[in-house]
Amino acid sequence: MKRFYITTPIYYVNARPHIGSAYTTVACDVLSRWHRMNGEDVFFLTGTDEHGEKVFKTAQQAGISPIEICNQNSARFEKSWDTLKISYNNFIRTTDIKHKQAVEAILNKLKAKDLIYLGEYKGLYCVPCERYYSVKELKKGKCPFHNKKPIALSENCYFLKISSFQDKLIKLIKKKDFLIEPIERRNEVLGFLTSNKLEDLAISREKVEWGIKIPWDNSHVVYVWIDALINYLSGIGWSGNFKKWPKYWPANIQLIGKDILRFHAVIWPAILLAINAPFPKKLYAHGFFTVNGQKMSKSLGNVIDPEKLATIFDTDALRWLLLGVFPFGQDGDISMSGFYDKYNNDLCNGIGNLLRRVTTLATKNNKKFIHPARVNSLFKQKINKTWKEYEENMNKLKFERVIKNINDFVGFLDKYIDKQKPWQVSIENKEYTKIIYNLLEGIRHLSWMICPFMPDKSNDIFESLGLLKEKGKTIKQGQTLFKNDFKKINKGKILFPKL
């Protein structure tokens, strides 16, 4: 059985789930469900990054221990992902003992290969980011993500000789042995590596109390970003065997936001080179989105809680809206008015209205619709063409195009109804049976198509068609044409009430 391993970045436990983290996680979930539908052995990893100075200070202010604050905040992410129907295989926390063992094993390996040394670091440190910035990386002297001036720090720390991997990384990326997508992100990484001398990386903090301690020097803790990156191995059960990598490694896709591209496209592959581990097959960095034209931030009060949105639009509908508003991989803008418009156009007036029209016609006389001896060639061509485009776009992570493929297919079925005018055909006429059968078969395929995005609504449609057994099939079995009989059709509930 073919394996498929996909990861989100692990989310910083000191933050709350928001629409940005939901965007990445829903995208991973859609891909995971799609590959499971293809009969693949899928492992989907997500989780929380729980160490660092900010967590410690937050716990101090709350009068509780760091692990207690981590337990509370990590539970928020798990709750949000449950609301969004995220089908992960493991929710890793970097406070897990197996993760600690993996981090220590890699540090000891790097030390044994003489790739770590003790030195002094002087630099500009952004506490919210928990990372150092060069002067060139700042915007008008401030952190580009938090718009705050970093603090000047000078401390002893351990360094990783990342500079020794610069040429190798450039060659790997140019040859696409380490594949970075979309092309803009690949060019960004290559531009950085070819125009800057890669400096050795500070990988420990001496004055931070909450973190994984350096194995040979407990006065230092591991820099939180080094710690966090190793979750991609520890999260699938690896704890230190450098001769045998886990069943699912390397990852097929590591999906991230472009704000953390450099960690994943430079630091992470350098570590993998150092320990002779295989590279992820693809690193995909999606874009940012603004809210009503403004950057999302606490100070502007426009940070959107995905759980609140799910109560407005329904969870399945929200998953659809998130991935359909603009091209995945690019920057875009979201707005509540845009969500309402897309909900009513795509879902209420589109899929929902189509299902209601067809099931109303099909239940007029409690008829059974048995698959015909002769296949409708128009339907066959349209369904095959839609699936071909759907699969191509899904495999390229072009989610908004997949949604467009589905909407186009809904439009095709609506036009077929308007052209055939089944309400003018006698129920006893064989032509009526053929028309309704074609529509029911089209809706069956539609239910398969929406399944990765809207799993519950897909189930509801199969139930309306009397075909709950469909859920036990693979996508190839589901794509068969004109082989099903429809015997127990019911109108069911209104899938998408108008908002």
Side-chain angles (χ1 to χ4, degrees), residues 6-66:
I6 184 169
T7 74
T8 68
I10 52 175
Y11 301 107
Y12 190 42
V13 80
N14 219 39
R16 288 177 179 268
H18 55 74
I19 201 71
S21 50
Y23 182 66
T24 314
T25 311
V26 168
C28 277
D29 187 68
V30 167
L31 281 176
S32 296
R33 290 177 184 272
W34 166 244
H35 283 274
R36 289 189 190 108
M37 285 165 59
N38 277 282
E40 296 175 49
D41 176 11
V42 174
F43 197 101
F44 171 17
L45 179 69
T46 188
T48 44
D49 168 14
E50 303 189 358
H51 291 127
E53 188 176 10
K54 279 179 67 180
V55 175
F56 184 78
K57 287 183 176 178
T58 301
Q60 273 189 322
Q61 291 165 5
I64 57 177
S65 67

Side-chain angles (χ1 to χ4, degrees), residues 348-362:
C348 177
N349 300 331
I351 294 170
N353 184 58
L354 172 67
L355 180 67
R356 203 71 177 167
R357 292 179 80 185
V358 175
T359 53
T360 297
L361 290 164

